Structures are given as C-alpha cells and as structure tokens.
Amino acid sequence: MIVELEKNRIIVGYARVSSREQAVDSQALEQQIARLKAAGATEIFQDIQSGSKNNRPALKELMTSISEGKIHEVIITRIDRIARSLPKLRECIEIFANRRVDLRVLDQEIDFTTSQGKLMVNLLGSLAEWETDLLSERVRHGKQYRRNKQVANESYPWGYKIVNDKYHLNESPFLCLISNRPSTYLELYYETDLTKLNALTVKEIARDCIDIFFNVKGATRALKVIFQKYGLAKINYRRNGSDGKFHWTVTGFIWWLSNPVLCGHTAYLQRINLGKGKRKKNQRENWELVYNTHSEHKLITDEEALEIQRILKFNHKKGPITNPELNETNSYREYAYQSGLVFCAECGSKCITKSAKRKHGGMYYYFACRYTGMGCENITSTRKQNIEDALIRTLVQRSQTITSELEPSPLPPEKSEKLKELESRLDALEKIPGFDPDMENLKNKIRKQITEEINPFISDSIVDKSTEEIIRVGNNLAIWHTLCPDDKVKVFQQIVHKITVHNGKVKEVILKI
C-alpha cells in the first residue's frame, strides 16, 4: 500500500533565473532543470524573472496547483529561487505546510517541520532579501556615477550607437530600397558589404523618418508612410536600437521624436523605479537634462524640436476627427487651425465640426455644440468662415489699439544697416541698362528681402516671434488674409486662446495677450 502511494506522488520542480541573458548565454536555467529532473521532478515550472517580482506566471501557476491539491512535493535548487523577499517566502512556505506539500531544497538541507528548520528559512530569506537590496544599491550607485561623468545611458534611441560612453550617429548600412538598388544587384546578391548595394544607413533612415513627420504633420500618418516606404510590417517586439529591429507604435514614435538625445542632449531619470522590478516613465520636468553632450551628432535642431512639440500639441488638442486635416499636398486644410479653439458660449463644451453641401456645389463647414438638443440651447451652427472673419477683425482691432497706445515718434524710424545695403544694391542693379532674366531674378530676390526687412511679419521665421509682436504688426486685413493654411495653424494656435460661439455668431475671441 505504501509503495502504491509513493508511485502516485506528483513531484514537480521550480526553476528561475533573473534574465533572458542568463537563460540563454550561461545555460543557468538549463542546468537547474537538469538537476531538478535528476532529483525526481516529472514536471518543471520555470520563470525568467527577478526573484523580487511576486507575480511571476509560473510561480502563480505552481501555487494554484498546490492549493488545489494536485502536487505532493516541490523541488528547488536554492531557497532564493522561490522568492527574494522574506514576506513572499513565508507566504509560500505557509501554503506548502497547509496543503502538506513537501519542499526539497537540493543545495540546503532544511527540515521545515522543526523549529531549527524554520529559523534557517527565515535567515536564508533575510539574506536573500539583503542581497537584493545590495544589488539595487549597487545599480543606483552605478547610475549616479554615470550621471556624474555625463556619459550616455545604457539604452539609446534609434539612429544612434554608443562609442566610448558617448552618443554617436549610427552610419552603419541598414537596408536597401528597391528603387535604389544598382543595375548589377543580382551579381552583388551575396555581397556582405551593403554599401555596394546603395544601402541606406541607420542615420539616413532616422533623419528621413523625421522629415516624413514634418511633411505629413502627424505621428500616425508618418508611420503609415514610413512602413509603406520601407516595406515594414508590424512585429510584436518591444525594443528599438541595439537589437536591430525596426518598428514603432504611435506612442513609441512620439516618444522617440521627443527624445533629447536627437537634439544633442542627454537626459537622465527618464524612468522611475517603483521596486519589485516595476518602472514607469518619469514626468519630463523631473528629468535630469545635460545640454550639448554630443552636439556634433545631432539628428534635429532645437528649432525643429520645438516645431515637433508644436505639431504634437496641436494634433493632441484638436482630438480625433472624421476627415484628415491634410490634402494631397500634405498641407493643412483651410480651417484646420480652428480645431480645439472653438467652444460653446452657453454650456462651455468644445464644439464639433460639421459640413453641408451647397446648392450650387461646394461645401459649407460649421462648428456646433456637441450637446445641442441634450440640454444646451445653442442650436444654430456657426460657419467656419464667419469664425475666421470675426477672429481677423479682433486681431486688427487689437493691433490698432496697441499701435495707438504707443507714443507717436516725430521722426520716421531709422533704417537698419541691412536695409540700407539692400536698397543700395537694388539701386545699382536698376542703373544697369538692358534686360537680363538672371538680373531680373536677382532684383526680385532683393526686393523680397527689402520687404521682409521692412515688415518682419512676412518673414518665414514668424513662428519664432512672440504673440505680442505678431499682433502688433497685424493691423492690416491683407496680412491675415494672405496667410496660407499652414501658417494659420502656426500663428493662430500661438495667439488665440479660445473662441466662443452662440446660435450662428461669434460671441467672444480670447487672445493670449
């Protein structure tokens, strides 16, 4: 009878290593499994996770089977394979005792039924916990040492590599587009030197991804173009960079675009350690930022970084929309800037966009309260053109008010040295007799430069100007009406705080000045 009971005993083993590298490179997991099987285990539960994590899947499955009475004995190599925290270790041993399950530790002879054995378990558990704390402390000191030396982080964004503890742009050949392949590509098919195949480097692809984002003005749209251009499919892989895999989710792509490393800076403390192997992203304002650590290896300029954040902020502010705000030329549509700025004057909710067909062709575009008929009496929609007209009137009035408040100068403003030089060059060219197309192009170029010098509002650097400067020079209707949709998005989102509408009319335009 005793022999029969021994035959029916279910003996399992539990093996654990801390990381994938230990499991693959050092065969630590394989060695544990071999020892457990040699000791009599017929089934092995295995985890590749830190012992400080209490939600390991294989351990949870093992403890569930024990609670259900399916297991009679568990074999481990060391006591810290079960847990590295004393509370978790006590919890597991208590479950073993309650279900009368034997626990056999190959490297430590422990009798869990005696007081000496229980003392030994507590001592070993405390030592394992202490060792974990020491390891965490060493890691913290190591990271602090790296921060003090201002060296690159262990992980690095796509487009970079680490050379002598510094970020360097990765100029290694990565892939060759079909459109770029040489005519002799079949002869080079087995060639290991990718440069002969006109392969693009990691740096070139990374910069191209940034340019695509600027062209289409959106992360989701950019990824669609990137995946189509480079023939990439979605893969279930979490990392980009050292593993050579290339794929982004929308969130991951935005996180990459916003990484200070791309601007030549190094950011520390981007993630917070919550303990027990858990981490989360830290708030950007709490990062420890060191500027210009690798300025010769920038992917984007500081100005481009600001533009990226402006586009992301605008897209986030306007929220999801039915129709994309881009046309075939990859520029914003006419009233795209109004998204996220128009609110109901009665209930205060953000208005939604609508459209209707004209009788003689074309479309009308409106904003309407989302709660019309559900308690809000703001029934009539407001045309987007009427909103723009009211906005421009407000801007002109505000500009004229600011101008009138300034004390009039008895003398005209003195010309700048640059303006004098441009006028002198133009005057000299005008005195040259005859007609030359190249000469006329040069004259037109100088005339444009003179206009921009007189009226800085026309300059391409309008986004860099302050809100007050933009409004001050905008005392002319023509200035506002000549803006293209892209400039409207840049300018109006910068200077307008909110527009309220009620029953087809604009009630108030609130500026940021």
Side-chain angles (χ1 to χ4, degrees):
M1 184 67 178
I2 295 176
V3 175
E4 187 67 26
L5 289 174
E6 288 293 330
K7 288 182 179 180
N8 293 331
R9 281 175 60 82
I10 299 176
I11 303 174
V12 302
Y14 177 75
R16 181 190 64 77
V17 291
S18 298
S19 66
R20 179 72 57 182
E21 288 74 19
Q22 283 182 301
V24 176
D25 297 338
S26 67
Q27 290 86 41
L29 183 62
E30 182 181 340
Q31 293 173 13
Q32 281 189 55
I33 293 173
R35 293 185 62 195
L36 296 174
K37 287 183 177 180
T42 57
E43 182 182 355
I44 306 296
F45 294 81
Q46 61 185 55
D47 276 316
I48 304 176
Q49 286 188 349
S50 169
S52 59
K53 291 186 176 181
N54 295 333
N55 59 344
R56 286 165 274 156
L59 180 61
K60 290 172 65 176
E61 184 182 355
L62 172 64
M63 302 313 292
T64 299
S65 298
I66 291 173
S67 300
E68 294 173 353
K70 298 178 180 179
I71 295 174
H72 300 98
E73 184 178 353
V74 177
I75 307 174
I76 56 176
T77 56
R78 294 202 317 266
I79 198 70
D80 61 359
R81 297 300 91 190
I82 287 285
R84 277 190 171 272
S85 68
L86 193 56
K88 183 63 178 178
L89 181 59
R90 286 173 175 169
E91 176 190 334
C92 293
I93 291 176
E94 185 177 353
I95 294 175
F96 291 150
N98 292 339
R99 301 302 303 183
R100 298 183 181 277
V101 173
D102 295 332
L103 177 62
R104 194 181 349 151
V105 186
L106 298 182
D107 293 345
Q108 294 142 344
E109 293 293 336
I110 303 174
D111 186 353
F112 294 95
T113 62
T114 65
S115 57
Q116 291 87 349
K118 292 177 182 178
L119 175 62
M120 183 62 68
V121 168
N122 281 283
L123 287 174
L124 292 174
S126 298
L127 288 172
E129 194 171 52
W130 179 57
E131 185 181 356
T132 300
D133 292 339
L134 284 178
L135 179 60
S136 299
E137 192 173 328
R138 287 197 296 270
V139 171
R140 285 196 298 271
H141 287 318
K143 289 183 179 294
Q144 184 62 54
Y145 175 74
R146 295 179 68 85
R147 290 198 295 272
N148 293 340
K149 291 187 65 178
Q150 297 186 359
V151 302
N153 289 302
E154 295 89 341
S155 60
Y156 46 89
W158 169 260
Y160 284 85
K161 60 182 179 180
I162 305 297
V163 178
N164 297 327
D165 286 334
K166 296 292 182 182
Y167 292 110
H168 281 243
L169 286 169
N170 190 347
E171 302 195 33
S172 304
F174 186 73
L175 64 81
C176 176
L177 294 175
I178 295 177
S179 57
N180 293 345
R181 67 186 182 187
S183 57
T184 58
Y185 77 96
L186 290 176
E187 301 172 12
L188 301 171
Y189 185 79
Y190 295 103
E191 183 65 57
T192 56
D193 185 2
L194 294 179
T195 56
K196 295 182 180 180
L197 289 170
N198 295 335
L200 295 170
T201 65
V202 175
K203 167 190 170 182
E204 290 171 332
I205 296 174
R207 179 62 218 190
D208 188 42
C209 292
I210 295 168
D211 291 335
I212 290 172
F213 172 81
F214 281 129
N215 288 335
V216 302
K217 299 180 177 64
T220 302
R221 294 185 292 271
L223 285 181
K224 184 177 180 180
V225 174
I226 291 169
F227 293 159
Q228 288 176 343
K229 180 174 183 178
Y230 292 105
L232 301 171
K234 186 171 182 179
I235 56 174
N236 293 322
Y237 211 82
R238 296 177 60 186
R239 297 169 60 193
N240 277 315
S242 58
D243 48 38
K245 301 291 190 299
F246 178 48
H247 177 76
W248 278 301
T249 61
V250 174
T251 303
F253 184 57
I254 292 173
W255 184 259
W256 178 76
L257 285 170
S258 306
N259 196 322
V261 173
L262 276 61
C263 303
H265 316 312
T266 299
Y268 302 107
L269 305 178
Q270 294 187 55
R271 289 178 174 80
I272 303 174
N273 190 357
L274 302 177
K276 298 186 181 300
K278 295 181 179 180
R279 303 175 73 196
K280 74 171 186 178
K281 292 179 180 177
N282 197 2
Q283 296 293 327
R284 194 178 184 90
E285 57 269 20
N286 296 329
W287 291 0
E288 186 177 313
L289 200 59
V290 182
Y291 292 94
N292 299 320
T293 55
H294 50 284
S295 54
E296 69 279 12
H297 289 278
K298 286 185 177 182
L299 259 180
I300 59 177
T301 64
D302 290 334
E303 292 74 19
E304 287 177 324
L306 291 174
E307 177 66 6
I308 288 171
Q309 293 306 314
R310 188 197 64 76
I311 294 173
L312 293 175
K313 183 179 180 181
F314 171 66
N315 291 343
H316 176 73
K317 185 176 182 180
K318 72 183 181 182
I321 51 178
T322 303
N323 297 316
E325 291 289 340
L326 298 171
N327 61 20
E328 292 78 7
T329 60
N330 286 329
S331 60
Y332 287 104
R333 289 181 179 173
E334 188 174 6
Y335 303 109
Y337 72 90
Q338 295 181 8
S339 298
L341 294 178
V342 183
F343 292 79
C344 174
E346 181 169 327
C347 69
S349 64
K350 185 183 293 186
C351 291
I352 57 175
T353 184
K354 290 186 175 182
S355 62
K357 291 184 178 179
R358 299 174 185 262
K359 290 183 179 179
H360 304 290
M363 299 287 291
Y364 285 119
Y365 297 97
Y366 302 88
F367 269 107
C369 177
R370 65 179 67 239
Y371 297 113
T372 297
M374 294 184 288
C376 183
E377 298 300 325
N378 187 1
I379 300 174
T380 306
S381 300
T382 308
R383 289 187 185 178
K384 293 184 178 182
Q385 182 59 57
N386 294 345
I387 294 174
E388 181 167 292
D389 292 341
L391 170 59
I392 292 175
R393 284 196 302 270
T394 301
L395 291 170
V396 172
Q397 292 171 2
R398 180 62 64 87
S399 176
Q400 292 173 346
T401 301
I402 293 177
T403 303
S404 64
E405 289 175 352
L406 298 175
E407 293 184 5
S409 175
L411 298 175
E414 185 179 352
K415 294 181 180 180
S416 66
E417 293 298 324
K418 181 179 179 181
L419 180 58
K420 291 178 182 178
E421 180 186 349
L422 290 171
E423 289 180 339
S424 175
R425 290 175 59 189
L426 181 62
D427 185 57
L429 291 174
E430 295 284 7
K431 294 178 180 179
I432 298 176
F435 177 83
D436 185 349
D438 293 335
M439 189 72 68
E440 290 301 317
N441 290 335
L442 181 58
K443 290 179 185 178
N444 290 332
K445 183 178 179 180
I446 295 177
R447 290 190 187 103
K448 182 180 178 182
Q449 291 174 337
I450 291 173
T451 304
E452 291 177 350
E453 184 66 19
I454 295 173
N455 187 354
F457 186 82
I458 302 175
S459 173
D460 292 335
S461 61
I462 183 175
V463 180
D464 300 328
K465 300 185 183 304
S466 69
T467 301
E468 185 175 352
E469 288 173 337
I470 294 174
I471 295 178
R472 182 177 297 172
V473 298
N475 57 0
N476 189 312
L477 279 172
I479 290 178
W480 302 107
H481 284 298
T482 54
L483 288 176
C484 68
D486 282 10
D487 286 340
K488 287 180 181 179
V489 168
K490 295 176 182 178
V491 175
F492 291 147
Q493 286 283 330
Q494 179 181 341
I495 64 179
V496 180
H497 174 65
K498 182 190 290 188
I499 302 171
T500 59
V501 296
H502 189 266
N503 285 332
K505 297 181 180 180
V506 176
K507 188 169 184 180
E508 187 179 15
V509 176
I510 304 173
L511 303 179
K512 294 181 179 178
I513 181 174

